[in-house]
Amino acid sequence: MVSIRDVAKEAGVAISTVSKVLNNYPNVSEETKQKVNAAIAGLGFVPNTIASALSSKKTGRVALVLDVNRHAQTVDEIPMQYIIGAINKAKEKGMDITTVFFTMIAEMNVEEMIRYFQSQSIEGLIICGLSKEDVVLRKLVKSSKFKVVLIDAPGVSESTSSIHIDNTKAQYEVAKKFLNENNCRKVLYISGKKNGYVSEERLTGMKQLAEELGLKVLIRTGNFSELEARKLTMQYAKSKEAIICASDLMAIGAMKALIDMDIYRPVCGFDGVSLMGYAGKQMHTVRQDFQGIAANAVEELSRLMEGGSGQDIVLPHKLIRIKYLDVIS
Amino acid sequence: MVSIRDVAKEAGVAISTVSKVLNNYPNVSEETKQKVNAAIAGLGFVPNTIASALSSKKTGRVALVLDVNRHAQTVDEIPMQYIIGAINKAKEKGMDITTVFFTMIAEMNVEEMIRYFQSQSIEGLIICGLSKEDVVLRKLVKSSKFKVVLIDAPGVSESTSSIHIDNTKAQYEVAKKFLNENNCRKVLYISGKKNGYVSEERLTGMKQLAEELGLKVLIRTGNFSELEARKLTMQYAKSKEAIICASDLMAIGAMKALIDMDIYRPVCGFDGVSLMGYAGKQMHTVRQDFQGIAANAVEELSRLMEGGSGQDIVLPHKLIRIKYLDVIS
DNA sequence: TTGTATGCGTTATCAG
DNA sequence: CTGATAACGCATACAA
């Protein structure tokens, strides 16, 4: 392996000088810079990030903490979108990102968790979908041992930022448009999780609309489960005019149930996942740009790691309808 | 940060002794081992993997190289399954895994690619779905600069293993069962990619069966595209009795097309993805355990990194039919 | 069985 | 603007 020392020798300069051009320090003359770069190219030198990290005490390592299979079943594309968005942005920023699943750290207590991330030399975390019940993880965030960006959860502090769409508003808007178009007043609202941050926000949006329009809405908790939404639909849909769900997956569950029940009720979703294209009907939903959210989270984490302080970031959403042919082309 | 040196001081032993118990070397007395472990626990010491890697020149870092969005569109769950399987196994084995997308390295030449991975201190690669056209990546593999496990591509060598199911046999079997059950002889076979390894193997399986049963089969290339399969179905299905596709996604595209055409033809898929549950009909398909394959790949890579030499690994498959209610529960 | 000393490839401080 | 040189935290050959 060719090292900085070889480059120095080849270029006829000191090691420290090479280091300086490598990290483009200001005080290097054009001339030596050229010499060094020539040597680097000639030798095919590639800086050793490990050594760099050890010396500088900056690893640039970041973990993307995800909950696979809690929101949903096997086909959940949302985590994948987060991964794609985060990894691409991390590469762009020269950060080193690693993916961690909730299940991998579920059994740990705070100390173990801290050690786990420290042993990996991780400086920052992006946590997707932290819930109120993730006590340990929340303690970890509060400990301020790491810079953290929370996706879809509150908790801004000096070292923690939060990033999300305006769930309340989005739910309000999509439900309003949906109900308006279908002219319904008796609705079944299938909520997400009890104690889930986004679930509660969306529920609030629904309640606001209900109050404003004087709707009759029956609220049930679907736990973001397609199966649960199916069951609730079978149980309650007949006496309702429309079904509004706090997630697309539940909306699909509801729609499939309606088809099996052989009755029709309009269904409204939330998230804008492409699976909606397979549900058979074009449903109203809210589109979140998950890749964009994750990319933003990486940017924000990078800012925190450079000394910035936490903030709350609200990203835009769109009201859309998804159809099969759009999804596959 | 508490280091090995602090532990040594606390335990009243030498640094090297601590290092030895950390890496459980044989020649350490129970007594000192206890002392050291006590000190470790007391101080909350966590070994610095960066320093360890620098010193030992073994990083244990591995890259999972994936092709997102080539087989398919947005909803492709297969890469996600690979990621889950690989990451979980890597954690279990104490390896450090990072995910890389083809798009991130697509523009590089071999030297750049080698440097890219070297700069990340990566020792091994798991490459999913390498095709004949990925010339640069294939050169990288041949360079033997890294230990490599290829998923779904041939190329065994001293430093490279290959892992896959028996695609030829699987295609043969599933098509046979499917045709037998539906009693068809005139079939449209929608193949994967020209020059794709698995595509060609599956095609071979189909041809074997055709020969054996004296079938009339029209072969068209669908490029693993749902949309393309849809088009081909619209074009050719009417005059055929059945459609066999080299992937589930294409099978879904075909099935949806048939529904829109308002004709019925049995369709057979390949892969066993859960999206099949949403296609409206229960189709025959081959189930691959993608998580298991990825987990095996990590194991195999670990073996290679410890000095083992490359081998060809064939994993089992299953013939199944997927229905919606199984997918969501 | 334990300790000493050297080096891994960088960065950073401080003279020059 | 450039060059020595001391860390960084750990592993390991070698000495004791």
Side-chain angles (χ1 to χ4, degrees):
Chain A
M1 161 156 274
V2 34
S3 81
I4 198 175
R5 147 185 257 116
D6 305 308
V7 176
K9 202 173 295 175
E10 175 81 9
V13 299
I15 291 183
S16 53
T17 306
V18 178
S19 176
K20 279 165 195 159
V21 343
L22 242 35
N23 301 283
N24 38 353
Y25 273 50
N27 291 338
V28 184
S29 75
E30 262 318 310
E31 200 190 332
T32 48
K33 213 178 273 183
Q34 303 248 324
K35 273 195 296 186
V36 170
N37 282 132
I40 288 177
L43 297 175
F45 164 75
V46 28
N48 183 326
T49 46
I50 298 271
S52 168
L54 179 62
S55 182
S56 70
K57 295 182 152 295
K58 289 191 175 284
T59 64
R61 292 206 72 193
V62 156
L64 177 66
V65 186
L66 288 174
D67 190 8
V68 180
N69 274 2
R70 199 152 68 172
H71 280 187
Q73 323 306 330
T74 34
V75 282
D76 201 350
E77 70 192 72
I78 299 177
M80 189 66 204
Q81 299 286 359
Y82 281 142
I83 291 176
I84 294 175
I87 289 183
N88 282 328
K89 175 60 79 177
K91 157 125 210 274
E92 188 185 316
K93 307 213 64 155
M95 297 162 71
D96 183 10
I97 196 163
T98 174
T99 307
V100 173
F101 301 128
F102 275 38
T103 50
M104 291 163 53
I105 54 174
E107 312 287 299
M108 300 182 187
N109 60 41
V110 201
E111 289 76 27
E112 288 170 329
M113 231 180 248
I114 291 176
R115 282 181 211 173
Y116 175 67
F117 287 118
Q118 283 183 345
S119 77
Q120 307 247 49
S121 302
I122 281 169
E123 301 178 319
L125 306 172
I126 295 171
I127 303 177
C128 304
L130 184 68
S131 96
K132 288 184 187 169
E133 281 141 20
D134 297 314
V135 190
V136 179
L137 204 43
R138 291 178 64 211
K139 271 193 201 158
L140 179 85
V141 174
K142 284 226 178 101
S143 78
S144 291
K145 293 261 183 189
F146 307 94
K147 303 293 182 180
V148 178
V149 174
L150 297 168
I151 292 182
D152 277 350
V156 173
S157 77
E158 191 54 31
S159 62
T160 310
S161 288
S162 172
I163 185 164
H164 52 89
I165 65 165
D166 185 338
N167 284 283
T168 304
K169 185 159 169 248
Q171 182 66 86
Y172 172 93
E173 288 173 356
V174 75
K176 184 167 190 174
K177 185 172 179 190
F178 164 77
L179 290 176
N180 202 40
E181 211 162 277
N182 290 286
N183 198 29
C184 305
R185 305 188 47 76
K186 287 176 63 181
V187 347
L188 167 63
Y189 182 74
I190 304 183
S191 175
K193 289 196 302 183
K194 274 211 177 354
N195 289 325
Y197 294 114
V198 298
S199 297
E200 292 189 349
E201 289 169 22
R202 291 175 195 173
L203 183 56
T204 301
M206 187 64 228
K207 282 180 176 166
Q208 279 177 10
L209 183 66
E211 173 130 9
E212 181 182 315
L213 301 184
L215 306 171
K216 280 194 67 163
V217 19
L218 174 69
I219 295 163
R220 285 294 177 269
T221 302
N223 274 309
F224 287 121
S225 152
E226 197 168 344
L227 184 58
E228 193 58 30
R230 177 185 177 83
K231 287 181 186 162
L232 290 170
T233 300
M234 296 204 153
Q235 192 172 353
Y236 298 111
K238 216 149 204 169
S239 61
K240 305 295 167 191
E241 296 168 6
I243 303 174
I244 299 176
C245 299
S247 81
D248 283 349
L249 234 43
M250 293 196 295
I252 292 169
M255 182 57 85
K256 291 262 187 192
L258 290 168
I259 292 172
D260 288 355
M261 293 164 75
D262 207 24
I263 65 176
Y264 177 71
R265 298 289 182 278
V267 177
C268 178
F270 200 113
D271 282 337
V273 301
S274 58
L275 188 60
M276 282 293 256
Y278 297 82
K281 303 279 177 188
Q282 262 187 58
M283 290 184 255
H284 282 272
T285 189
V286 173
R287 164 121 175 86
Q288 296 196 59
D289 176 11
F290 295 106
Q291 286 194 29
I293 291 173
N296 262 279
V298 171
E299 292 268 21
E300 177 61 12
L301 186 51
S302 153
R303 202 183 60 77
L304 287 177
M305 295 196 309
E306 278 160 7
S309 58
Q311 59 176 330
D312 193 61
I313 299 175
V314 181
L315 260 31
H317 60 265
K318 266 196 259 179
L319 307 188
I320 60 162
R321 304 184 71 167
I322 295 178
K323 60 167 186 274
Y324 176 65
L325 287 178
D326 292 341
V327 170
I328 66 170
S329 56
Chain B
M1 160 155 276
V2 32
S3 81
I4 199 176
R5 145 185 259 116
D6 304 308
V7 176
K9 204 173 295 175
E10 175 81 8
V13 300
I15 292 184
S16 58
T17 306
V18 178
S19 176
K20 279 166 195 161
V21 345
L22 245 34
N23 302 284
N24 34 358
Y25 271 51
N27 291 339
V28 183
S29 75
E30 262 317 309
E31 199 189 333
T32 47
K33 213 178 274 185
Q34 303 248 322
K35 274 195 295 185
V36 171
N37 283 133
I40 288 177
L43 297 174
F45 164 75
V46 27
N48 183 327
T49 46
I50 298 274
S52 167
L54 180 61
S55 182
S56 70
K57 293 181 157 293
K58 288 191 175 283
T59 63
R61 293 206 72 192
V62 156
L64 177 66
V65 185
L66 288 173
D67 190 8
V68 180
N69 274 0
R70 198 150 67 171
H71 279 190
Q73 324 305 331
T74 36
V75 282
D76 200 351
E77 70 192 75
I78 298 177
M80 189 68 204
Q81 300 285 358
Y82 281 142
I83 291 176
I84 294 175
I87 289 185
N88 282 327
K89 176 58 79 178
K91 158 129 209 270
E92 189 185 316
K93 308 213 65 155
M95 296 162 70
D96 183 10
I97 195 164
T98 174
T99 307
V100 173
F101 301 127
F102 275 37
T103 50
M104 291 162 53
I105 53 174
E107 312 287 299
M108 299 181 186
N109 59 42
V110 200
E111 288 77 27
E112 288 170 329
M113 230 181 248
I114 291 176
R115 283 181 210 172
Y116 175 67
F117 287 118
Q118 283 184 345
S119 77
Q120 308 247 49
S121 303
I122 281 168
E123 301 177 321
L125 306 171
I126 295 172
I127 303 176
C128 305
L130 183 68
S131 95
K132 289 185 187 169
E133 280 141 20
D134 297 314
V135 190
V136 179
L137 205 42
R138 291 178 64 211
K139 270 192 202 160
L140 180 84
V141 174
K142 284 227 180 101
S143 79
S144 291
K145 293 262 183 187
F146 308 94
K147 303 293 182 179
V148 178
V149 174
L150 297 168
I151 292 182
D152 276 351
V156 173
S157 76
E158 191 53 30
S159 62
T160 309
S161 288
S162 172
I163 185 166
H164 52 88
I165 64 166
D166 186 338
N167 283 283
T168 304
K169 185 158 167 248
Q171 183 66 86
Y172 172 93
E173 288 174 357
V174 74
K176 184 167 191 174
K177 184 170 180 191
F178 163 78
L179 290 176
N180 202 40
E181 211 162 275
N182 291 284
N183 197 29
C184 305
R185 306 189 46 76
K186 285 176 64 180
V187 347
L188 168 62
Y189 182 76
I190 305 184
S191 173
K193 288 196 304 183
K194 275 213 180 349
N195 288 326
Y197 294 113
V198 298
S199 296
E200 292 188 351
E201 289 167 23
R202 291 175 195 172
L203 183 56
T204 301
M206 187 64 227
K207 283 180 176 166
Q208 280 175 9
L209 182 67
E211 175 131 7
E212 180 182 318
L213 303 184
L215 305 171
K216 278 195 68 163
V217 19
L218 175 68
I219 295 163
R220 284 294 176 270
T221 301
N223 273 309
F224 287 122
S225 152
E226 197 168 343
L227 184 58
E228 194 58 31
R230 176 185 178 84
K231 288 181 187 161
L232 291 171
T233 301
M234 297 204 153
Q235 194 173 352
Y236 299 109
K238 215 150 206 168
S239 61
K240 304 295 165 190
E241 295 168 6
I243 304 173
I244 299 176
C245 299
S247 82
D248 282 349
L249 234 43
M250 294 195 295
I252 292 169
M255 182 57 85
K256 291 263 187 192
L258 290 167
I259 292 171
D260 288 355
M261 291 163 77
D262 207 23
I263 64 175
Y264 178 72
R265 298 289 182 278
V267 178
C268 177
F270 199 113
D271 281 340
V273 301
S274 58
L275 188 61
M276 282 292 257
Y278 297 82
K281 303 280 177 189
Q282 263 188 57
M283 290 183 254
H284 282 273
T285 189
V286 173
R287 165 122 175 85
Q288 297 196 59
D289 175 12
F290 295 106
Q291 286 194 29
I293 291 173
N296 263 281
V298 171
E299 292 268 21
E300 177 61 12
L301 186 50
S302 155
R303 201 182 61 76
L304 286 178
M305 294 197 308
E306 277 160 9
S309 58
Q311 59 176 330
D312 193 60
I313 300 176
V314 181
L315 260 32
H317 60 266
K318 266 195 259 178
L319 306 189
I320 61 163
R321 304 183 70 166
I322 295 179
K323 59 168 185 273
Y324 177 64
L325 287 178
D326 292 340
V327 170
I328 68 170
S329 57

